Amino acid sequence: MAGMDSPTTHFPSPTDAGHSISQKGFKITTRKLPILKAGPIEEMTAKLGIAPPEMIFGDNRVSVTHEQTGWAISFNAFDALDRVDKKGDDMLKVAYSQEWQKNREKVHEGIQEVVKPFDWSYTTDYKGSINAGDTQFEKSSKPIPLELLKRPDPILFFDEVMLYEDELADNGIAMLSCKIRVMPARLLLLCRFFMRLDHVLVRLRDTRVYIDFAAKEVIREYVAKEEQYEVVKQDTPDVKSTFDIRVCSALPVVASGLLERSTQLQAAGNEEGEKRLYSFSQKIPIPSYLFAIASGDIVGAPIGPRSMVWTGPEELEAAKWELERDTETFIKTAEEIVYPYAWTSYNVLVLPPSFPYGGMENPVYTFATPTIISGDRENIDVIAHELSHSWSGNLVTNASWEHFWLNEGWTTYLERRIQAAVHGEAQRDFSAIIGWKALTDSINEFGEDHEFTKLIPSLTDKDPDDSFSSVPYEKGFTLLYTLEKLIGQKKWDKFIPHYFTQYQQKSLDSGEFRKTLQDFFTDDQEASGAMANVDWHSWFYKPGFPPKPDFDTSLVDVCYHLADKWEQKAHNEKSQAFIPKSTDITGWTANQLVVFLERIQLFENALPPSDSTLMGTVYGFAESKNVEVVSRYYEVGLRAKDSSVYEPTARLLGQVGRMKFVRPLYRQLNAVDRALALSTFEKNKDFYHPICRAMVEKDLFGKQGGTP
């Protein structure tokens, strides 16, 4: 890598020595002090010859020194700004530049600035400062060993140091900062310049310094990237913003913000009907994937003191009954686990049946599948899940989709804590057992060694939709459940609000989660000792199954026992002793029926077709209105090659668009009657959501999708 040829300039020279650590002959130092005052800023301006950024941390510094030779590389604001183009040759030629120059004349009161042409975005190609007499970097093709950095080595020292920041006259942001982490055998330093010029450009300049202590080897990498703003603005959940919107519609409108007012508009010209102007505001920053608007022939009804349900007029009464008993209880329980609900009101919009997910956690308004309206209040755990997103995902968000488990694993964990508080601890493990079956199905579908079965998969050059499965939900839950059992729930429950407070309205990755957890229990020797045996690398990067917890099976044992009788019957073992009766399942919940049917799906040999038909008739599965139950029964029947379920399966696929049911049913139907599967898809493909349609096409026709 090319070295820097300019001498290090210390500006200014404070007496605060900062924080240091020495590791195997290298001394690592960071210093963080307040923003410079007017006098030092004026002095810096004179030396640089350009106006400094709005927030300049001129005393801050990161340095790494080899103690025996004195060789050092350091990072500071002055040297970084000295690398900014001072002639204006690289200045962004946009209208904002003139506005910025006018703005700069009044930024620092008492300082007379002379704004000359220069790169007002403060873009720098700074790679660190090395004394002129020290050994410089040589060009090399040797990369930084990323696999070594993925190892779960203890972090001995971590710090983040801001060098400068400017909001570009309220048109974006430019900032330069350093992060450094020191492990026993190596360190990694990242100096990142990030610039976002709204509606124009996003730019990154990354300098990474890697040191192997034993080899005394230093590798420096410099990467420069930029892209048009419109291309990348919606590409990451790491970017959050508030919004104010106005929507004009003749039909009612809901959105992921609070309704501030609704005004009737005068019809114009030859327009028919009345229209209203709806004004929504969201003051809590959210990532773009949570921005949602819906409008249609919908009506609402209260389901709690701070909650409404909205849906079609004909569906309202059933939806209200399904949700009104438990919604407020769920909210209060979640508040006791984490902290008070931040979004003012919590509402549910029950969508048409083509909606591809169980729910979408848009702030203020959860968008929900109509399959939860089953007339028995057995499927409203979906609401507990989407409500939990009000903390996990909506307030505290995964920084990228590789770390999706931080959204969904935490949300599944909170959902089951709500279940435990409302229905008892055994119910939580009962739900976890159902989740383990879903995890098993996903891993078996991908293959145990597949990248997408990792908790942190690589999504480079991959569509995140292709990786969507129960893995981040259930593998993420299992990690959190394991940590809770390891540390003890009483101590763990103190960490939960700390975590959600520290990252409120922020995004994070898995490494930051791990460090936050370890730091929280630093002074607790018992908890720290328990966590010392956690194999973080395997949890994060090992494909396949995680270690299975010892779940409480008290609520599933009866389900397993009945399933065993059916298996014995199928193999003529003690068959005369078992005659199926409707009373076999008297008093069972829908979830117990699900566990029973999923147990049968795991039989080494499928049921005989006659037993599948008998089961559906005796237990009433074929007539069930609960899609969770009937879809599982159809899967059992399809595996048994019970032709009596083929056409009912095809009919259900024309009524439900939720991928949880649609994809496995198509795969099973395709295996026994491909012609029916293809004709069913052709008939209903326009009914499905585009995401669902694309995924089913891949299931039926291969990776490229499309028709044969």
Side-chain angles (χ1 to χ4, degrees), residues 255-269:
S256 51
L258 297 175
L259 178 64
E260 294 192 324
R261 59 188 171 275
S262 170
T263 308
Q264 184 172 326
L265 299 177
Q266 189 75 28

Side-chain angles (χ1 to χ4, degrees), residues 198-218:
D198 293 339
H199 311 294
V200 180
L201 192 71
V202 176
R203 176 178 286 167
L204 277 179
R205 301 286 187 266
D206 283 352
T207 297
R208 288 178 172 84
V209 177
Y210 170 85
I211 298 180
D212 185 305
F213 297 135
K216 295 181 175 56
E217 181 181 44
V218 184

Side-chain angles (χ1 to χ4, degrees), residues 410-454:
W410 261 112
T411 299
T412 303
Y413 175 84
L414 293 176
E415 169 201 342
R416 290 176 182 157
R417 286 295 301 272
I418 293 172
Q419 292 175 338
V422 175
H423 302 297
E425 188 66 28
Q427 182 64 39
R428 175 166 79 140
D429 281 17
F430 180 66
S431 176
I433 290 168
I434 296 175
W436 189 269
K437 171 60 168 59
L439 176 63
T440 300
D441 289 345
S442 292
I443 292 176
N444 288 342
E445 181 66 26
F446 285 127
E448 282 198 48
D449 294 328
H450 197 280
E451 182 71 24
F452 292 164
T453 66
K454 296 179 181 179

Side-chain angles (χ1 to χ4, degrees), residues 213-428:
F213 297 135
K216 295 181 175 56
E217 181 181 44
V218 184
I219 301 175
R220 181 175 65 180
E221 290 183 353
Y222 176 75
V223 177
K225 298 179 180 180
E226 63 182 54
E227 186 54 87
Q228 295 300 309
Y229 179 86
E230 293 299 323
V231 175
V232 300
K233 69 176 183 179
Q234 296 182 356
D235 200 34
T236 171
D238 197 22
V239 176
K240 298 184 175 185
S241 65
T242 59
F243 70 78
D244 293 282
I245 60 169
R246 294 187 297 173
V247 181
C248 179
S249 177
L251 295 171
V253 179
V254 298
S256 51
L258 297 175
L259 178 64
E260 294 192 324
R261 59 188 171 275
S262 170
T263 308
Q264 184 172 326
L265 299 177
Q266 189 75 28
N270 58 357
E271 288 187 359
E272 295 182 3
E274 296 180 349
K275 289 188 176 182
R276 301 190 70 85
L277 183 64
Y278 296 84
S279 298
F280 296 93
S281 180
Q282 181 52 265
K283 302 304 182 187
I284 300 175
I286 62 173
S288 59
Y289 76 89
L290 292 176
F291 180 84
I293 301 174
S295 181
D297 183 16
I298 55 175
V299 291
I303 54 173
R306 45 183 160 172
S307 302
M308 297 276 291
V309 62
W310 289 78
T311 190
E314 295 179 358
E315 293 78 25
L316 182 63
E317 184 178 349
K320 181 178 186 296
W321 181 88
E322 199 86 27
L323 303 176
E324 64 184 352
R325 185 188 68 182
D326 296 301
T327 299
E328 181 62 19
T329 300
F330 287 168
I331 298 174
K332 288 181 177 178
T333 304
E335 289 179 320
E336 291 172 0
I337 297 170
V338 192
Y339 49 62
Y341 181 77
W343 308 90
T344 305
S345 67
Y346 176 76
N347 309 289
V348 180
L349 174 67
V350 181
L351 289 167
S354 60
F355 186 58
Y357 301 110
M360 182 60 208
E361 63 273 17
N362 310 305
V364 183
Y365 270 93
T366 283
F367 286 11
T369 171
T371 61
I372 69 171
I373 311 302
S374 52
D376 53 14
R377 290 177 172 153
E378 291 278 1
N379 296 321
I380 57 172
D381 53 350
V382 168
I383 298 303
H385 183 92
E386 303 308 328
L387 168 68
S388 297
H389 269 302
S390 300
W391 291 268
S392 171
N394 296 7
L395 282 179
V396 177
T397 312
N398 49 237
S400 69
W401 299 121
E402 285 86 354
H403 303 276
F404 189 42
W405 79 271
L406 289 169
N407 277 19
E408 295 298 350
W410 261 112
T411 299
T412 303
Y413 175 84
L414 293 176
E415 169 201 342
R416 290 176 182 157
R417 286 295 301 272
I418 293 172
Q419 292 175 338
V422 175
H423 302 297
E425 188 66 28
Q427 182 64 39
R428 175 166 79 140

Side-chain angles (χ1 to χ4, degrees), residues 105-124:
E105 295 175 2
K106 298 181 180 179
V107 168
H108 303 293
E109 185 177 355
I111 299 177
Q112 181 62 43
E113 296 182 356
V114 179
V115 181
K116 300 176 181 178
F118 70 98
D119 183 2
W120 57 280
S121 71
Y122 296 105
T123 298
T124 179

